[in-house]
Amino acid sequence: GAVVSQHPSRVICKSGTSVKIECRSLDFQATTMFWYRQFPKQSLMLMATSNEGSKATYEQGVEKDKFLINHASLTLSTLTVTSAHPEDSSFYICSARAGTSGGRQYFGPGTRLTVT
Amino acid sequence: KQEVTQIPAALSVPEGENLVLNCSFTDSAIYNLQWFRQDPGKGLTSLLLIQSSQREQTSGRLNASLDKSSGRSTLYIAASQPGDSATYLCAVRRVNTDKLIFGTGTRLQVFP
């Protein structure tokens, strides 16, 4: 099946700094990528949807200036958490979908962000 | 607004048992429904995807059914094994949208 990778798998940063998370589709071209966050023992919440070459569409309540998403190519999307705070500590998961709107989403392994 | 609920929230069983995990959703206008497995600290593995026109899908010991009119799906796990221990998530995709709405999850533990 299709493979999606994320880097890094874990990151610890100090409060006030920015951190970038990469999401790559390894063996297919992802026209659409999705970013989710997951708090401990809770389900996934969609943060934003990005289409290659377009601005991301953010869900209600997600600050677009804080969570910068770039989908510059068909195999790479990045999420940058700017001016991170401890409450941004979470598990961030991306997914990627190829081509048609009926296509399945393939999920990355996730990135554990800890802000100290 | 689509809401997805899973029952039970947690389940602990001896190996060998046949299990039923339940997923309910409030809006029947769905495109498809998917069942995922998530191991602790890991991403999601897709198990089964049921299109809105289908009633069930099977893969090995797993069988998922869909009753769109009643807003329900069940995941049946036959002859459970300790390796099945994980959190199981269902997610629905509404028509005319890309979004997946995830359920609350069922944490399954199968002990030897």
Side-chain angles (χ1 to χ4, degrees):
Chain A
V3 179
V4 175
S5 70
Q6 279 184 244
H7 178 79
S9 58
R10 289 177 178 271
V11 58
I12 300 173
C13 71
K14 293 186 181 235
S15 186
T17 62
S18 297
V19 61
K20 180 184 288 188
I21 302 169
E22 292 185 350
C23 176
R24 293 181 185 273
S25 57
L26 298 186
D27 51 3
F28 67 100
Q29 293 186 324
T31 52
T32 306
M33 288 187 170
F34 306 84
W35 286 95
Y36 298 84
R37 68 186 297 181
Q38 184 180 34
F39 291 106
K41 296 188 178 180
Q42 294 188 25
S43 195
L44 278 73
M45 297 296 294
L46 179 65
M47 298 175 66
T49 303
S50 72
N51 291 294
E52 186 264 338
S54 303
K55 288 185 178 180
T57 302
Y58 290 81
E59 294 300 299
Q60 191 173 5
V62 178
E63 299 175 58
K64 62 180 182 180
D65 294 330
K66 180 169 185 60
F67 298 99
L68 301 179
I69 293 173
N70 183 283
H71 189 169
S73 78
L74 285 172
T75 59
L76 174 65
S77 176
T78 60
L79 168 67
T80 301
V81 182
T82 63
S83 187
H85 288 270
E87 55 264 33
D88 298 325
S89 299
S90 188
F91 193 57
Y92 292 87
I93 303 177
C94 72
S95 70
R97 191 190 68 209
T100 66
S101 62
R104 185 181 296 214
Q105 289 184 31
Y106 296 93
F107 284 78
T111 296
R112 172 72 60 192
L113 170 63
T114 303
V115 184
T116 61
Chain B
K1 178 184 175 185
Q2 178 72 274
E3 294 184 359
V4 184
T5 306
Q6 291 184 243
I7 294 173
L11 188 59
S12 183
V13 298
E15 71 175 309
E17 282 203 4
N18 300 323
L19 309 173
V20 176
L21 308 183
N22 297 291
C23 172
S24 61
F25 46 96
T26 54
D27 186 345
S28 62
I30 65 170
Y31 189 83
N32 59 41
L33 182 145
Q34 225 169 328
W35 282 93
F36 295 89
R37 169 189 173 133
Q38 185 177 31
D39 293 286
K42 303 293 184 182
L44 274 65
T45 300
S46 179
L47 299 174
L48 292 163
L49 183 151
I50 311 176
Q51 301 293 349
S52 63
S53 59
Q54 298 174 323
R55 294 193 65 84
E56 67 175 345
Q57 284 285 325
T58 298
S59 176
R61 294 182 294 109
L62 304 180
N63 176 276
S65 66
L66 173 64
D67 184 343
K68 202 171 63 166
S69 61
S70 67
R72 293 183 180 181
S73 176
T74 59
L75 178 66
Y76 178 82
I77 303 176
S80 59
Q81 302 171 357
D84 295 330
S85 299
T87 295
Y88 290 81
L89 296 163
C90 69
V92 299
R93 181 179 163 193
R94 291 186 65 188
V95 295
N96 299 321
T97 178
D98 280 337
K99 301 179 187 178
L100 288 181
I101 308 299
F102 281 84
T104 46
T106 294
R107 293 190 303 279
L108 172 65
Q109 181 180 13
V110 181
F111 54 89

